[in-house]
Amino acid sequence: MESITAIAARNKGNLALENLEKYKQLGKGGDGAVFQISHNKCVKIFWKEKTQKLELEALKKGQSSPIIPRLYEYGSNYIVMEYVNGYNLKKYLKEKKRFSDSKIRQILYMLSELKRIGFLRHDTEVRHIYFNEKGEVKVIDHKRAFTTDRTYPRKLISGLEKLGYAEEFLQGVKQISPTIFNEWAKYYE
């Protein structure tokens, strides 16, 4: 198949949905649409240039971390990045019906990595936390990495609450890292 670069070049550096009809659509939302373009790459087309710039800035900054998808190329309204072949935390919890200590540790690692990278937002939604085929944690959708200042994972815990797993997660955090648990306690009590 024709490369994304070639398709974009033909369209003045932009991509449109009709340019990607041959590819599998992975999702479509308020910010754009994502298509799988190879076994290890996907492309996200953004409806707004500003959103693309925010996501791109975060991906560039996060390339030193294994939790951030690899960045391959980009244009004015798209980004080609690593396709995370696996499952998200929401699917994991629905299938397993419980949190393992291993998953809690991975999520704590992910949150500490967001801080280490320099993101202001040390939080994400349940549906944006993925585990690849090797079981490694990855987090997607970083447009708010530098615009939302949040050191407490409010979105994550709120999402876990809706799924019925917030208490189990927090009890796991309390056992694994009492310091982090106590740090968070002032926000949710």
Side-chain angles (χ1 to χ4, degrees):
M1 274 196 227
E2 188 176 19
S3 77
I4 296 300
T5 307
I7 295 169
R10 236 188 16 256
N11 294 290
K12 299 178 183 159
N14 288 309
L15 290 178
L17 291 178
E18 55 269 11
N19 300 135
L20 300 170
E21 289 174 341
K22 296 176 183 173
Y23 298 100
K24 178 183 175 185
Q25 185 172 322
L26 301 172
K28 187 176 177 183
D31 294 323
V34 181
F35 296 84
Q36 184 176 357
I37 58 173
S38 75
H39 75 283
N40 66 338
K41 292 181 184 178
C42 64
V43 62
K44 184 170 183 177
I45 298 177
F46 294 84
W47 309 140
K48 295 179 182 172
E49 191 176 320
K50 179 183 177 184
T51 309
Q52 186 270 3
K53 288 187 183 321
L54 292 170
E55 181 86 11
L56 181 60
E57 178 187 4
L59 285 170
K60 283 180 174 179
K61 180 99 175 177
Q63 290 303 286
S64 67
S65 176
I67 69 160
I68 304 296
R70 298 303 88 196
L71 173 63
Y72 294 111
E73 67 177 270
Y74 55 91
S76 60
N77 76 328
Y78 70 92
I79 297 174
V80 177
M81 65 189 105
E82 175 185 2
Y83 167 66
V84 181
N85 187 16
Y87 52 90
N88 68 21
L89 179 58
K90 185 176 181 177
K91 182 178 179 182
Y92 168 83
L93 291 171
K94 284 186 174 189
E95 286 180 9
K96 300 293 182 185
K97 308 271 189 245
R98 64 175 287 278
F99 247 117
S100 68
D101 282 353
S102 169
K103 289 293 184 240
I104 294 171
R105 287 179 195 283
Q106 286 178 292
I107 292 167
L108 289 173
Y109 168 72
M110 178 204 71
L111 294 170
S112 73
E113 275 293 283
L114 294 174
K115 184 178 183 177
R116 184 194 65 77
I117 293 166
F119 288 5
L120 292 176
R121 184 181 189 206
H122 312 158
D123 189 12
T124 192
E125 295 184 34
V126 172
R127 65 192 173 103
H128 292 156
I129 300 171
Y130 276 79
F131 301 95
N132 66 17
E133 60 260 324
K134 295 178 185 174
E136 300 162 333
V137 68
K138 298 276 185 177
V139 63
I140 63 166
D141 200 357
H142 301 284
K143 67 183 172 288
R144 292 186 183 90
F146 303 114
T147 58
T148 302
D149 190 353
R150 185 177 303 138
T151 57
Y152 164 70
R154 185 176 55 88
K155 280 273 195 198
L156 171 62
I157 293 173
S158 168
L160 291 173
E161 211 164 65
K162 288 177 188 169
L163 294 170
Y165 291 96
E167 192 59 37
E168 184 178 348
F169 174 71
L170 290 169
Q171 287 308 310
V173 171
K174 188 176 185 177
Q175 286 184 348
I176 293 165
S177 180
T179 305
I180 291 174
F181 179 82
N182 290 333
E183 205 175 282
W184 293 352
K186 62 186 168 198
Y187 295 104
Y188 65 86
E189 286 183 349

